[in-house]
Amino acid sequence: MRAAALCRVRPEWVDHYGHMNLAYYLVAFDLATDALWPSLNLGDGFRARGLGTFAVESWQGYVREVVLDAPLSAESAVLAFDAKRLLLRHRLFHAEEGWLSAENEVLFLCVDLETRRVAPWPEDVLAAFAAARVEEAPKRLALKRG
C-alpha cells in the first residue's frame, strides 16, 4: 500500500528532547493499521461478524526523528499470513520531504470476540491478504515464534 497521509506530530507527542516520543510512534503505527484495515476486509465490518484482530507482538526501528507538527504518512504491507495470523510492516515517512522516520512490524491474531479465542480468518479476508501480500522478508518477526 502506498504512503498515505496519516497525521501531524501533536504537541502531546513531543518529549523533553523536542522530538516525537517513542510511545507515540506506536500510536502513529496503530493509525496506519486502522487506515489499512478496510482494504483487507477488517475493521468495523469484521467486528460486526464477531471477529477482531489482536496484536500479539511488535518491533519498531527508529531511523530519523520527527518534531512538532511534522506531517506523517505511512506505507503498509502484508508480509505473511496463515489461517490465524497476519504479519504486517508499516513505514512512517515525513509526508512532505519523503524520508523514512521509522518502521514497524506487527503480528496479529484473528480472535472470536465472544469466546476470546483464536479463530480462523474468513475466506474473503484471506483472499484480501493474498492480494495485498508483498515479496519482502520481515526484518524481525515471524508468523511463528522460533
Side-chain angles (χ1 to χ4, degrees):
M1 178 180 207
R2 306 202 92 201
L6 195 60
C7 62
R8 288 187 171 273
V9 176
R10 301 173 187 173
E12 62 271 22
W13 293 4
V14 175
D15 65 17
H16 52 274
Y17 295 115
H19 60 212
M20 190 160 83
N21 178 273
L22 68 92
Y24 293 99
Y25 280 88
L26 283 176
V27 171
F29 289 131
D30 200 44
L31 292 172
T33 298
D34 290 345
L36 178 65
W37 269 181
S39 70
L40 298 177
N41 296 335
L42 301 172
D44 292 338
F46 192 64
R47 283 188 304 278
R49 295 159 79 171
L51 298 169
T53 55
F54 286 16
V56 294
E57 190 173 3
S58 70
W59 166 82
Q60 290 69 237
Y62 306 98
V63 178
R64 187 170 170 185
E65 68 181 350
V66 290
V67 297
L68 178 63
D69 205 39
L72 303 176
S73 63
E75 174 190 87
S76 303
V78 171
L79 298 182
F81 64 93
D82 66 14
K84 298 177 182 181
R85 289 176 282 265
L86 170 65
L87 180 57
L88 295 182
R89 186 259 304 134
H90 298 298
R91 290 187 179 132
L92 192 63
F93 296 92
H94 187 286
E96 293 171 357
E97 297 175 13
W99 42 263
L100 178 65
S101 174
E103 53 193 337
N104 163 257
E105 290 177 3
V106 59
L107 179 62
F108 291 95
L109 297 177
C110 179
V111 174
D112 179 308
L113 296 176
E114 184 176 327
T115 65
R116 309 303 265 195
R117 300 277 184 208
V118 177
W121 300 108
E123 289 300 317
D124 65 304
V125 172
L126 288 171
F129 292 172
R133 188 175 184 282
V134 298
E135 292 297 325
E136 178 182 326
K139 287 189 173 185
R140 295 287 193 275
L141 301 185
L143 283 181
K144 298 180 184 178
R145 295 179 185 178

